[in-house]
Amino acid sequence: MTNAQPTPIPTPPNGKPKIGGMARKEERSFYLFILPWIIGFLLFDAGAIIASFGISFTNWSALSAPAYVGTLNYSRLIADQVFYKAMGNSLYYGLGSVGLGTIVSFLLALLLNQNVWGMSLFRTIFYLPSVVSGIAVAILWIMILHQDFGLINSFLAWFGIKGPGWLVQPQWAMPSLILMSLWSAGGSMVIYLAGLQSVPTHLYEAAEIDGADTFQKFWTVTVPMMSPVILYNLIVGFIASIQGFVTVYVMTNGGPANATLVYGLYIYRTAFINFQMGYASALAWVLLVVIILITVVQFIVARYWVYYEGDLKS
Amino acid sequence: MQTPVVYHKRQLGIRGRAIATTVITYVLLLGLSISFVLPFLWMVSTSLKLSQDVFTYPPSFFPNSFEWTNYPKGWRVLPFNTFLVNSLIVTLSNVAGNVLSCSLVAFGFARLQGRGRNFLFLLLLATLMIPREVTIIPRFLMFSAAGLTNTLWPLVLPAWFGYAFFIFLLRQFFMGIPIDLDHSARIDGANNWQILTQIILPLSQPALASVAIFAFIGNWSNLLDPLIYLRSTELYTLALGLNLFRGQNFTQFNLLMAVSIITLIPVLLMFFFSQKLFVQGVSLTGMGGR
């Protein structure tokens, strides 16, 4: 209060007139340096989202001029059975692959975190499949999951089990894709492993002094300390898996009987096979809203299970 | 008298349990490793089989003969050399565009002050959550209006405007470089551009390499954009060419696998020569690539 108003180093850099000029100059440089991203953001992100919203109120084949149709696309969507099927399939795939993927990658990370001999070799083996992706891997898995000549069914045949037609039977098609996604669990495993290695050992020592056994240490130290990383992986993994499209496009193209018609594939077909840009944009906007809702729910639920250490730097 | 005996017993128990834990760990690790590696071996084995041996029941894991000619044979079914050149053009320009634009933007966010910086940074991170499906239609219509569909431009241009994940990765790395270096350079009269190119970037080679590798792998295997934008076969990338091959020769799994393996080679090489950078990139951001 009694201190003179113009203190030498105020927290806001543009608080003093003399620094103000320099700060303005720096601000100009700041905007100059981030300009590429700002242009890209306005053009490819913000602009695209707004445009997409506008297009969703039109009937547009991309060849002729768009025609304004009001909320027709949205009322069509509400009555569209395939829309519900595709949304359900994507949620099924998202929950299945992210749920199981989290468990598998966390277990792999726990195994590798035990200072085992050859750790870097094992890490390479588990990580590699997540690096190779795309159509080559999809073709490989068509072969692996082949009903008669595939790797999995010949393995099952050793035990006298006749394996199902993984990709051709509606009830097995989606579980097959989820199983295949586990092959890439190594990507999040590396993240968990880095997290596990940064848990301070004194917490485990303290738990040991209190008489905690391995399981208690796991539930009272490891899981709480890792929970922010797990939350992050759940959110990002779910967003990524709900958009997953290429694998399905190559392996089943939505079949059999729409059992694997995921949302991304439905949008792709609507927009780029049937050229219904308006309806496809409406579908895309619903997806955006659903993703935002799910993320918000995840954050709300996270309050009950995610532990943030006081002033831990992120 | 009693106490040391009990203590001794208990210690043995602990050691026994520790050995059991180690054994179980290794059994699990070996079993899982085999199941993670088998698909790759199966891929190589299939690529070396004769056509008629691919579909035998029960399938044999080892090829009866090693048909190395499957590789050149498969490669010649379609103009894969052209596809390879297209893939290289697209992928390398994406790498260059991403490294350059993301370095600039990351430097701005890491080192320069400006009103709205924190807000803009949050906005940047939020773009990671936008589903591709929402932006892909307007992007297509935009490139279509510009007359750029059925060219490689739509696959190449966006990379020059930064990508949030790479910007984040580089910014995290830049922030770990002592700011005193900037200050002393500034006293010597260096401007921002010189600080970036002569101090920050030379010190950030691991992070830049991570970005280059992630950009390479992401674009190399990208199928969606080529699928949407490219119509003429002579513009196809390897991923799209492989898709065409799959559609035409669906039963020739040996040739399909051979060409698939060829397309994976650059990714595999890159992975084996730079595994440390991958892990660094992951631990720096807590994110795993695209």
Side-chain angles (χ1 to χ4, degrees):
Chain A
M1 240 357 210
T2 46
N3 277 358
Q5 203 70 338
T7 36
I9 307 156
T11 11
N14 44 2
K16 276 184 72 180
K18 197 190 160 199
I19 297 172
M22 271 173 69
R24 252 202 305 282
K25 196 163 163 261
E26 187 175 339
E27 188 169 55
R28 260 204 309 278
S29 314
F30 167 69
Y31 281 107
L32 202 63
F33 271 91
I34 69 164
L35 190 64
W37 173 70
I38 290 187
I39 295 172
F41 175 76
L42 293 177
L43 219 56
F44 297 124
D45 294 314
I49 287 182
I50 295 164
S52 168
F53 189 61
I55 296 165
S56 75
F57 293 100
T58 66
N59 194 350
W60 195 5
S61 70
L63 301 170
S64 52
Y68 178 77
V69 293
T71 57
L72 197 71
N73 286 323
Y74 289 95
S75 44
R76 177 182 159 189
L77 186 145
I78 289 168
D80 182 2
Q81 290 306 313
V82 185
F83 156 74
Y84 295 105
K85 180 77 181 161
M87 184 59 87
N89 281 342
S90 276
L91 292 176
Y92 179 10
Y93 180 74
L95 287 174
S97 65
V98 175
L100 286 177
T102 304
I103 294 169
V104 169
S105 50
F106 201 79
L107 284 177
L108 288 175
L110 283 175
L111 282 174
L112 288 186
N113 195 36
Q114 300 190 37
N115 291 322
V116 289
W117 180 85
M119 190 267 231
S120 63
L121 176 70
F122 285 121
R123 193 180 57 194
T124 305
I125 289 172
F126 295 141
Y127 189 32
L128 185 58
S130 71
V131 177
V132 297
S133 65
I135 179 161
V137 171
I139 293 173
L140 166 65
W141 277 84
I142 295 175
M143 191 71 209
I144 291 175
L145 293 163
H146 196 284
Q147 181 165 17
D148 301 318
F149 313 107
L151 186 63
I152 291 182
N153 279 1
S154 27
F155 177 73
L156 290 176
W158 281 1
F159 302 96
I161 303 169
K162 186 161 176 5
W166 293 102
L167 293 173
V168 290
Q169 276 170 251
Q171 75 272 30
W172 284 109
M174 195 58 100
S176 302
L177 295 177
I178 293 170
L179 175 80
M180 177 191 161
S181 76
L182 295 182
W183 197 46
S184 340
S188 25
M189 175 204 74
V190 182
I191 301 173
Y192 289 135
L193 190 57
L196 284 174
Q197 285 171 346
S198 65
V199 175
T201 42
H202 68 80
L203 293 179
Y204 289 112
E205 284 157 9
E208 263 165 50
I209 290 167
D210 292 343
D213 61 28
T214 313
F215 270 98
Q216 287 169 324
K217 277 191 282 184
F218 177 73
W219 285 112
T220 55
V221 180
T222 310
V223 171
M225 290 302 286
M226 292 292 290
S227 55
V229 186
I230 298 174
L231 173 70
Y232 169 81
N233 265 306
L234 285 180
I235 290 175
V236 172
F238 197 78
I239 292 174
S241 69
I242 212 168
Q243 300 178 59
F245 147 78
V246 165
T247 314
V248 179
Y249 170 78
V250 174
M251 292 182 68
T252 60
N253 200 13
N258 283 348
T260 57
L261 179 69
V262 289
Y263 207 80
L265 185 56
Y266 190 43
I267 291 181
Y268 167 77
R269 276 188 193 168
T270 310
F272 299 107
I273 305 286
N274 301 331
F275 287 100
Q276 299 177 335
M277 298 298 173
Y279 188 50
S281 297
L283 287 171
W285 255 82
V286 171
L287 178 67
L288 180 67
V289 172
V290 168
I291 283 184
I292 292 172
L293 281 180
I294 289 173
T295 309
V296 168
V297 168
Q298 275 176 319
F299 271 115
I300 292 171
V301 176
R303 275 194 214 150
Y304 297 98
W305 68 273
V306 175
Y307 168 82
Y308 289 103
E309 203 180 21
D311 49 358
L312 200 72
K313 273 177 260 167
S314 59
Chain B
M1 276 295 270
Q2 289 290 79
T3 328
V5 176
V6 173
Y7 184 62
H8 184 66
K9 255 187 176 170
R10 191 165 161 257
Q11 205 175 33
L12 262 184
I14 287 171
R15 194 179 298 163
R17 219 186 307 164
I19 291 169
T21 312
T22 315
V23 169
I24 291 169
T25 305
Y26 278 104
V27 168
L28 282 174
L29 280 174
L30 279 176
L32 286 164
S33 299
I34 291 168
S35 50
F36 270 69
V37 168
L38 265 186
F40 285 117
L41 299 178
W42 177 257
M43 193 178 199
V44 174
S45 154
T46 307
S47 76
L48 293 172
K49 283 178 180 172
L50 283 167
S51 281
Q52 63 261 34
D53 291 345
V54 175
F55 297 107
T56 51
Y57 191 84
S60 60
F61 193 82
F62 296 100
N64 290 327
S65 55
F66 292 92
E67 301 295 324
W68 292 102
T69 50
N70 283 347
Y71 285 76
K73 218 196 270 175
W75 194 255
R76 277 197 300 264
V77 172
L78 288 172
F80 276 108
N81 280 327
T82 313
F83 302 161
L84 174 68
V85 171
N86 292 334
S87 270
L88 284 173
I89 293 172
V90 169
T91 307
L92 294 179
S93 17
N94 268 282
V95 169
N98 272 318
V99 167
L100 185 76
S101 63
C102 297
S103 302
L104 289 174
V105 178
F107 180 77
F109 279 116
R111 284 298 204 253
L112 301 171
Q113 291 289 343
R115 266 165 299 176
R117 188 178 75 161
N118 292 341
F119 172 73
L120 287 172
F121 193 67
L122 275 179
L123 210 57
L124 174 94
L125 291 181
T127 61
L128 282 172
M129 284 186 35
I130 302 171
R132 217 176 19 192
E133 280 78 6
V134 179
T135 55
I136 201 155
I137 295 165
R139 278 188 193 197
F140 174 81
L141 295 169
M142 200 164 65
F143 283 119
S144 178
L148 292 176
T149 52
N150 204 25
T151 69
L152 295 179
W153 288 110
L155 312 184
V156 163
L157 277 178
W160 296 85
F161 298 97
Y163 172 56
F165 170 65
F166 297 150
I167 295 170
F168 178 59
L169 191 154
L170 288 176
R171 177 215 180 233
Q172 296 300 91
F173 196 91
F174 291 174
M175 285 177 68
I177 298 171
I179 194 134
D180 301 345
L181 294 177
D182 297 32
H183 290 326
S184 39
R186 243 178 253 284
I187 290 166
D188 293 343
N191 60 29
N192 286 322
W193 175 254
Q194 288 165 324
I195 291 172
L196 173 65
T197 53
Q198 287 166 29
I199 294 171
I200 304 285
L201 290 186
L203 288 173
S204 307
Q205 276 166 17
L208 293 170
S210 294
V211 167
I213 290 165
F214 284 135
F216 185 95
I217 290 178
N219 284 288
W220 189 257
S221 56
N222 184 5
L223 179 64
L224 182 59
D225 291 306
L227 194 63
I228 286 170
Y229 289 111
L230 305 179
R231 296 276 168 268
S232 326
T233 318
E234 68 265 22
L235 288 174
Y236 277 21
T237 59
L238 274 180
L240 196 54
L242 198 55
N243 187 44
L244 182 67
F245 189 20
R246 173 192 65 104
Q248 289 179 350
N249 307 57
F250 198 68
T251 49
Q252 287 180 291
F253 269 110
N254 51 345
L255 302 187
L256 259 176
M257 284 292 107
V259 177
S260 299
I261 289 174
I262 300 175
T263 67
L264 287 181
I265 287 173
V267 175
L268 294 177
L269 283 179
M270 205 159 263
F271 177 75
F272 282 115
F273 282 112
S274 54
Q275 215 198 129
K276 266 200 190 121
L277 292 171
F278 273 90
V279 179
Q280 271 174 8
V282 166
S283 46
L284 196 64
T285 57
M287 298 185 197
R290 277 174 189 242

